[in-house]
Amino acid sequence: MLFKFKSQVTSDLIMLEADARRLLHIMLGHDPDKGIILVKDLPAAIAKLESAVAQDEAARLQRSQAAQKASMPEDTAQDTAGEPLNPVRLAQRASPMLKLLKHCVADPSDMVWGV
């Protein structure tokens, strides 16, 4: 399922369900299939999303540092071909949404979404 986010001042933002629900849950505390964020509520939604991105980046940095400390010596290094790729960061998923929300604040417009 796809979520489509709209406003009168931006082009549509289309996201996969899992990513959209994650961002909505961060901004609103729940993840309804359709809804609206009024202009007056946009700054709070932006702040929550930016805070979650900062927390995610800090947690990733801690995990990275812990992994470096626990890494094996170079002479016992294993083949890296089988290592899984790093997951996509929250900052990457949230960037288009933050741009949309900031445009809605700059040129006052509500944001609506649906499936």
Side-chain angles (χ1 to χ4, degrees):
M1 183 172 13
L2 296 175
F3 275 65
K4 186 183 277 190
F5 297 91
K6 298 180 176 191
S7 80
Q8 294 179 345
V9 296
T10 65
S11 57
D12 295 350
L13 171 62
I14 299 172
M15 296 184 115
L16 293 173
E17 179 181 10
D19 299 324
R21 287 192 183 279
R22 181 177 181 197
L23 296 181
L24 287 170
H25 188 72
I26 290 168
M27 293 185 296
L28 304 174
H30 60 292
D31 54 357
D33 286 341
K34 45 184 158 170
I36 184 169
I37 299 179
L38 301 174
V39 173
K40 66 179 180 141
D41 299 325
L42 288 172
I46 292 170
K48 288 178 183 178
L49 197 51
E50 287 177 337
S51 174
V53 167
Q55 289 174 2
D56 181 65
E57 290 297 318
R60 289 176 61 85
L61 180 62
Q62 285 180 338
R63 285 193 305 266
S64 174
Q65 290 173 346
Q68 287 177 352
K69 288 180 184 176
S71 67
M72 298 174 6
E74 288 183 9
D75 58 342
T76 60
Q78 296 180 358
D79 181 26
T80 58
E83 288 183 7
L85 296 174
N86 289 333
V88 177
R89 298 183 346 248
L90 178 60
Q92 292 169 297
R93 297 287 187 213
S95 178
M97 179 65 74
L98 283 169
K99 287 179 185 177
L100 183 142
L101 294 172
K102 289 177 181 180
H103 281 290
C104 290
V105 169
D107 190 4
S109 174
D110 299 333
M111 182 190 73
V112 297
W113 69 92
V115 266

